Every structure is written in structure tokens, then in C-alpha cells.
Amino acid sequence: LWPMMEIKDKKGEGTGKGYNDWRVGRFEPDRQSDERQYHAIKADTLNEMTVRLAKQICRGNFGAYLVAVSTKKRKRGDENLPYYIVKWNETPWQATKDKETYLDDTRYTVKKGHWYCKGTWLEKLPGARNWFTMARSSTTERGWETLVDVSKVAVANLRLRPRSERNQMRIGTQRATIAIAEERGAWRMSDDDHAFLVEESQNREANNEFDMNIASEVMEEEAARINPNSWLKKPETKKEEHQPKRDNKKSKAKKEQLKQQNVPAGWKKKPSPKKKKKKSKPSPKKRKSESSAPPGRRAKRTRKRGGN
């Protein structure tokens, strides 16, 4: 689909950019913006990203999370990597209260509302570029477990290729490195994924700088204004004013009008048909000769003569 999705210039030639290319968005305050709202927007954006990543994590898959140099002490051999690789051991969960927990004699602080997930660390194989192996705990022989803050996750499902006949280490790798790979297993990350994680760590450090205390205050204020049960309140109906009853009786026309108002909308009540009065046939007009004759006698017919 690249010939169809590639952006063309005015001459119709390809530019190398596509319509589906992803871009990095940044929030920048202006002169009219509220500084407190700016911190709240960044915190809300990070929270939405965390929820999305928590839904993508699958138990048994690999993932990568970012580590800031100034806030976390790196493990030996990982000084040059801004990220750690883990194998997820459970489904992510959201903390319901603030508490402290221990994993392999390491104390972790859990904050209410944050998402966490347990995983087993993978450490870098010495002398093998982009190769990782399972880390061993200092107290036990099993894997080194850790508790990951999901907000620091960069890739929820990272694709690593296991060591096999088709995926071998380069010729000249030290025997000690090969021995560790055979004992604990070895997985290789692609060069593109490594470059993406390095770039993502730089973007996170540059764009996610905000004061969590200020953001929490703004969010609490906004939550207090919102009433989630507002839809349960019934609207207040206006009380109808009762008019005093009249002593005089309503006319028939007024009663018919009230009956039509009670009919459902769209219906019209047909008026009752009026009874037609029978018209009596008019009696035939009597002639003058008949009217002048006395009763019992037949009237004489007279002819009028026209005089000249």
C-alpha cells in the first residue's frame, strides 16, 4: 500500500513521507495558559498512556521500561542502556492504597492509583551486541524479580528472537558469554527496537517534566465539581395554580374544547353530526278565484280579457 499512502509533491513525485507516519506531540505553555492546568494536562496524558499500556501487557511476553539516570541506580553492565528488559510474570494491577512491598530483599513503594506489574529481569550479555539473558538473583538461584511501574513502560510487548541455529551469535564471541547463553538462555533485540527505545527515553525525559503535587490538586478540584449522580435528580415541576371554581355552568362549546385537549397528539376529534331539520313542503298557492269562492261551491273560472 506504500505507492497509495506516500505523500506526493506538486510534481507528483514521492517525498518519502506517508499519511500513516506517526509523530511526537508536545504540550507547550503560552502566555495566556494556566500553569496549574499545564501540569494537570501532562499528568492526565501520562495516565491515559499508562492505562493503554496496561491493557497490552501479556503474561509470558517481554517488555521494556525506561530508567532515568538521575533517579535509578543502574545494574552492573547496563551503564549505557536507558532501558531494562523484563519478562512479565502476571497481569498488571492498580494499587488501591499506598504501601511498601518487598521482592528479593528490595523494597518498592506502591502509590494509590498507579499501575504495577511483576516481571523477571533480563541482563545484557557481555560482548554480544543487543543480546540479553535471564538475570540471577543475588540471594536465590532463580530469576531476579522486580516490580515495574507501568507508567515507565515504553514497549509492552517487545519482540525478542531466541538463540537458535538460524539466529546465532557472531563468530568470535567469548566462550564465557556462550556458556552463560547456554545455561540461562539468550534472546536478541533488533537494531530498530534498540534505536526506538533510546529515542523514546529522550522524549520521555524532555516532555514529561511536571509537578505531580500541583497536578493532583487540580484533578481533585475538578473531581469535586463533577457530580456523577446528577442524572438521578428529577427536574422540578412547576406547581399549577388552582383556579377557584366558578358557580356558573360551562357552556357546551367549552366542554367540547376541553374534550379535544385530552385527546392524544395528532388526533382530532370529529365533531358530532348535527341533525338536519326536515323542511316542510310549501303548500301550493291558491288562485284568487279559488280563494274568493265560498265553501261547498266550486269556484268559477274567469278569463281575463286583454283590453286595447
Side-chain angles (χ1 to χ4, degrees):
L1 298 177
W2 176 247
M4 181 176 62
M5 300 304 297
E6 186 180 11
I7 300 174
K8 304 291 192 296
D9 57 9
K10 295 181 179 180
K11 297 181 180 179
E13 298 179 357
T15 59
K17 298 179 180 180
Y19 289 105
N20 284 341
D21 293 349
W22 60 274
R23 296 173 179 83
V24 178
R26 294 180 176 86
F27 293 108
E28 295 182 358
D30 58 5
R31 295 178 180 177
Q32 298 179 355
S33 63
D34 186 0
E35 184 179 357
R36 298 174 73 250
Q37 288 289 340
Y38 175 74
H39 290 278
I41 289 172
K42 283 205 167 187
D44 186 64
T45 303
L46 182 61
N47 183 46
E48 293 296 327
M49 290 175 56
T50 303
V51 174
R52 178 173 57 84
L53 289 168
K55 293 179 180 179
Q56 296 176 0
I57 293 176
C58 295
R59 183 178 181 180
N61 289 2
F62 296 101
Y65 68 98
L66 305 175
V67 182
V69 179
S70 59
T71 59
K72 180 128 181 121
K73 184 179 180 182
R74 302 297 183 88
K75 298 202 284 60
R76 187 179 62 184
D78 287 348
E79 289 80 11
N80 298 326
L81 294 180
Y83 58 85
Y84 281 164
I85 308 297
V86 291
K87 184 176 182 180
W88 304 117
N89 296 338
E90 63 177 0
T91 303
W93 47 275
Q94 189 177 20
T96 56
K97 61 180 180 179
D98 297 341
K99 64 178 182 179
E100 291 184 354
T101 183
Y102 288 86
L103 284 176
D104 290 336
D105 296 336
T106 304
R107 186 180 65 178
Y108 296 91
T109 302
V110 175
K111 295 182 180 180
K112 180 182 178 180
H114 289 213
W115 287 84
Y116 298 92
C117 187
K118 292 181 182 178
T120 304
W121 259 325
L122 275 74
E123 62 183 3
K124 192 174 179 296
L125 270 174
R129 184 170 176 268
N130 291 345
W131 280 89
F132 297 85
T133 185
M134 285 292 173
R136 290 289 179 87
S137 174
S138 57
T139 56
T140 60
E141 294 182 357
R142 58 184 176 83
W144 195 341
E145 277 193 327
T146 182
L147 186 63
V148 180
D149 186 352
V150 181
S151 64
K152 303 297 176 61
V153 173
V155 181
N157 292 306
L158 184 64
R159 190 174 180 180
L160 299 180
R161 295 181 60 189
R163 181 170 174 258
S164 62
E165 294 181 359
R166 294 184 179 181
N167 186 33
Q168 290 287 346
M169 297 181 185
R170 65 179 180 84
I171 300 174
T173 306
Q174 298 178 2
R175 293 183 180 181
T177 302
I178 296 175
I180 295 173
E182 290 178 352
E183 180 184 0
R184 305 181 193 174
W187 293 264
R188 188 182 187 279
M189 179 194 299
S190 66
D191 295 340
D192 292 340
D193 289 341
H194 170 73
F196 170 78
L197 289 171
V198 173
E199 184 180 1
E200 182 66 13
S201 65
Q202 296 172 357
N203 292 331
R204 290 278 186 98
E205 291 181 2
N207 299 321
N208 284 346
E209 295 180 358
F210 60 89
D211 192 332
M212 193 61 199
N213 295 329
I214 297 177
S216 299
E217 290 178 0
V218 175
M219 290 181 179
E220 289 177 0
E221 291 174 2
E222 293 180 353
R225 295 174 188 171
I226 299 173
N227 183 11
N229 298 324
S230 59
W231 61 276
L232 294 174
K233 293 184 178 180
K234 295 182 179 180
E236 296 181 358
T237 55
K238 295 182 179 179
K239 296 182 179 179
E240 297 181 356
E241 296 180 358
H242 296 283
Q243 296 180 356
K245 294 182 180 181
R246 296 180 182 178
D247 296 335
N248 57 339
K249 296 181 179 180
K250 296 180 180 179
S251 62
K252 292 183 179 180
K254 193 69 176 177
K255 288 182 179 179
E256 289 293 331
Q257 186 179 359
L258 292 174
K259 287 181 181 179
Q260 289 182 2
Q261 289 179 358
N262 296 331
V263 174
W267 290 62
K268 291 185 178 179
K269 191 172 181 180
K270 293 183 179 180
S272 58
K274 296 181 180 179
K275 293 182 180 181
K276 294 182 180 179
K277 294 181 179 181
K278 292 183 179 181
K279 293 181 180 180
S280 59
K281 294 181 180 180
S283 58
K285 294 181 179 180
K286 295 180 181 181
R287 297 178 183 180
K288 290 182 179 180
S289 58
E290 294 179 358
S291 60
S292 60
R297 283 189 181 185
R298 200 172 178 184
K300 293 181 180 180
R301 295 183 180 179
T302 57
R303 293 181 182 178
K304 291 184 179 180
R305 295 178 181 180
N308 292 327

